[in-house]
Amino acid sequence: MTVTLEADGGVGTIRLDRPPMNALDIATQDRLRELAAEATHRDDVRAVVLYGGEKVFAAGADIKEMREMDHAAMVARSRGLQDAFTAVARIPKPVVAAVTGYALGGGCELALCADYRIAAEDAKLGQPEILLGLIPGAGGTQRLARLVGPSKAKDLIFTGRQVKAPEALALGLVDEVVPAAEVHERARAWAARLAAGPAIALRAAKECVDAGLETDIDTGLAIERSWFAGLFATEDRETGMRSFVEEGPGRAKFR
């Protein structure tokens, strides 16, 4: 399998394993979509780590495969490409990308689908599709602009340049930079902390932020209001408030 999902302690790890560079061919894209759906529905997965291994996250699409595709073939395929990445972005649980080595093209777009990105000190990220006479096609023009702002996104997309981890951190493209040997463990610790949290409230928070970014503020506030009131019907809300009153803040143990 080019992509696997393993769960341990509430943390599911979606692992890319297509040596040497984890090129994202069609089979890998489709497998990503399948495992994103599986992670969504599995009760033993409460948070997710995206990981490509110690050497590389994902260096982009399979260019040899893409070169054989004409316009008609890509018209037929482009929705499936986007759907695979959107499935990852819409996992209703906290998702962190553990970025080692290169995250370029589709690899960068996959990292953009996470809620949080932790990069190795020697990692390089970018959207080099323009150098092939193309543009990002798996969500990069949309998710990158929403994350770092339109002018910074245009600079990266127009030039196709790679950015090293410190610049990626300054741009807001990644959220933490750590030594390469610590990337996976740091990402897993981030996920494990949230895996112990209130699952429905975390789902609500993610949906409110993501859906709110796609609409006007009044609609976003309505989404927030609906979820906020709805959480008062959950066991987690009762657990959290009872623990706060009886034991003080931050000691609730959610099921």
Side-chain angles (χ1 to χ4, degrees):
M1 290 291 184
T2 57
V3 192
T4 57
L5 170 62
E6 295 183 357
D8 179 32
V11 176
T13 299
I14 295 179
R15 168 70 188 271
L16 300 171
D17 189 14
R18 189 170 184 250
M21 300 299 286
N22 289 335
L24 299 165
D25 65 348
I26 290 174
T28 302
Q29 297 163 22
D30 290 343
R31 183 63 176 158
L32 267 173
R33 186 182 67 249
E34 293 170 1
L35 292 182
E38 183 178 333
T40 293
H41 296 294
R42 281 178 58 168
D43 291 337
D44 62 337
V45 174
R46 295 168 63 92
V48 176
V49 176
L50 302 177
Y51 184 49
E54 296 178 356
K55 295 183 178 181
V56 63
F57 185 70
D62 188 322
I63 304 303
K64 291 181 180 179
E65 181 182 67
M66 287 180 62
R67 190 183 180 194
E68 300 301 316
M69 302 176 73
D70 59 13
H71 173 255
M74 187 50 76
V75 167
R77 178 60 202 170
S78 58
R79 176 56 67 90
L81 167 64
Q82 288 187 346
D83 285 351
F85 285 68
T86 297
V88 176
R90 291 184 178 169
I91 295 172
K93 302 168 184 179
V95 178
V96 56
V99 179
T100 54
Y102 292 101
L104 302 175
C108 186
E109 289 172 300
L110 181 58
L112 291 172
C113 293
D115 303 305
Y116 199 77
R117 283 154 291 277
I118 299 173
E121 291 174 334
D122 59 353
K124 295 181 179 179
L125 300 90
Q127 299 288 170
E129 289 88 350
I130 203 76
L131 305 179
L132 302 174
L134 295 171
I135 63 171
T141 64
Q142 302 305 302
R143 294 190 178 97
L144 182 59
R146 284 166 170 77
L147 183 65
V148 304
S151 60
K152 293 176 182 177
K154 287 174 183 176
D155 171 54
L156 295 176
I157 293 169
F158 289 177
T159 64
R161 67 187 184 89
Q162 299 176 19
V163 297
K164 296 180 180 179
E167 183 180 0
L169 182 64
L171 288 169
L173 180 53
V174 301
D175 302 289
E176 290 186 42
V177 174
V178 301
E182 299 176 15
V183 170
H184 181 256
E185 191 55 40
R186 179 70 190 93
R188 180 173 170 77
W190 185 94
R193 177 183 178 186
L194 294 176
I200 300 176
L202 286 165
R203 176 175 184 160
K206 181 167 180 172
E207 183 169 322
C208 286
V209 172
D210 289 350
L213 286 171
E214 305 301 323
T215 188
D216 61 273
I217 190 166
D218 287 339
T219 303
L221 288 169
I223 295 169
E224 178 186 273
R225 184 167 65 247
S226 177
W227 266 113
F228 179 70
L231 289 169
F232 276 73
T234 66
E235 180 182 338
D236 282 345
R237 192 279 307 188
E238 173 59 27
T239 298
M241 287 193 165
R242 182 178 63 249
S243 176
F244 181 91
V245 171
E246 296 177 359
E247 304 172 293
R251 299 189 179 187
K253 291 182 171 55
F254 300 100
R255 293 204 302 171

